[in-house]
């Protein structure tokens, strides 16, 4: 099966999350593509079984500015014919209070509205990944894989 893991990262924290997910999926024998949202044509996502987005939250609690076109293009896609399983990872700084790590919900909403199937609850971290957070990433990956495999079995 195939997964695509896309990230938007200024500090490298979201990219680090994406690379961790890449390693987990590869550990389970998946074919994985890793890339940046800004450099990815969203229509190519239909070629995959699982989509993982790793993002940070921009000032004001919004998606990163460089992902706005990608986000808008996602909203125009229909994943209901061939179910796409998705999960979102978020990194943020608690300094921003109510706006802390809110971009994952925005991406989840646009993907769910396009007919994609949420396969895991988001993993949200403060700043960069810490060793004690690895079990969250492992559980996230296992949940996505289980959902994708269940959808394949239903075909």
């Amino acid at each position: 099966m195939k997964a695509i893991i896309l990230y938007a990262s200024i500090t490298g924290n979201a990219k680090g999350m994406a690379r961790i997910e890449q390693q987990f999926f590869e550990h389970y024998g998946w074919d994985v593509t890793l890339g940046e949202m800004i450099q990815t044509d969203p229509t190519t996502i239909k070629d995959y079984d699982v989509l993982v987005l790793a993002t940070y939250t921009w000032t004001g609690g919004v998606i990163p500015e460089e992902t706005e076109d990608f986000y808008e293009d996602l909203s125009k896609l229909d994943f209901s014919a061939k179910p796409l399983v998705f999960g979102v990872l978020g990194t943020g700084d608690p300094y921003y209070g109510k706006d802390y790590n809110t971009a994952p919900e925005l991406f989840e909403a646009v993907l769910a509205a396009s007919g994609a199937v949420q396969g895991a609850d988001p993993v949200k971290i403060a700043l960069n990944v810490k060793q004690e957070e690895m079990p969250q990433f492992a559980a996230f990956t296992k949940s996505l894989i289980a959902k994708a495999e269940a959808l394949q079995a239903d075909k």
Side-chain angles (χ1 to χ4, degrees):
M1 295 182 77
K2 293 171 47 174
I4 185 166
I5 302 169
L6 302 173
Y7 62 89
S9 191
I10 289 179
T11 61
N13 294 337
K15 184 177 183 179
M17 295 170 75
R19 286 187 168 167
I20 288 167
E21 276 305 302
Q22 177 185 18
Q23 291 173 354
F24 275 115
F25 273 96
E26 287 174 347
H27 171 77
Y28 289 106
W30 279 55
D31 179 12
V32 181
T33 299
L34 178 69
E36 293 184 67
M37 286 184 225
I38 195 170
Q39 296 178 345
T40 304
D41 176 355
T43 61
T44 64
I45 294 169
K46 292 183 177 191
D47 298 334
Y48 295 88
D49 303 296
V50 170
L51 166 66
V52 174
L53 296 179
T55 186
Y56 64 94
T57 300
W58 195 243
T59 303
V62 298
I63 62 170
E65 185 177 17
E66 71 271 20
T67 66
E68 290 173 356
D69 289 341
F70 179 84
Y71 181 88
E72 186 176 322
D73 290 344
L74 274 180
S75 73
K76 298 173 185 170
L77 297 176
D78 180 2
F79 295 109
S80 59
K82 178 188 181 267
L84 173 72
V85 175
F86 74 89
V88 184
L89 306 168
T91 178
D93 189 333
Y95 167 81
Y96 291 103
K98 68 177 179 59
D99 293 334
Y100 167 67
N101 234 334
T102 55
E105 284 85 8
L106 299 171
F107 278 107
E108 287 174 340
V110 76
L111 285 163
S114 69
V117 177
Q118 187 165 353
D121 290 333
V123 172
K124 295 181 179 182
I125 63 167
L127 305 174
N128 58 345
V129 179
K130 293 152 199 71
Q131 187 62 38
E132 61 267 17
E133 294 165 333
M134 286 301 174
Q136 290 177 271
F137 286 88
F140 177 85
T141 308
K142 287 180 183 177
S143 182
L144 291 171
I145 288 172
K147 188 65 165 181
E149 289 175 346
L151 287 175
Q152 286 288 347
D154 288 344
K155 284 186 174 180

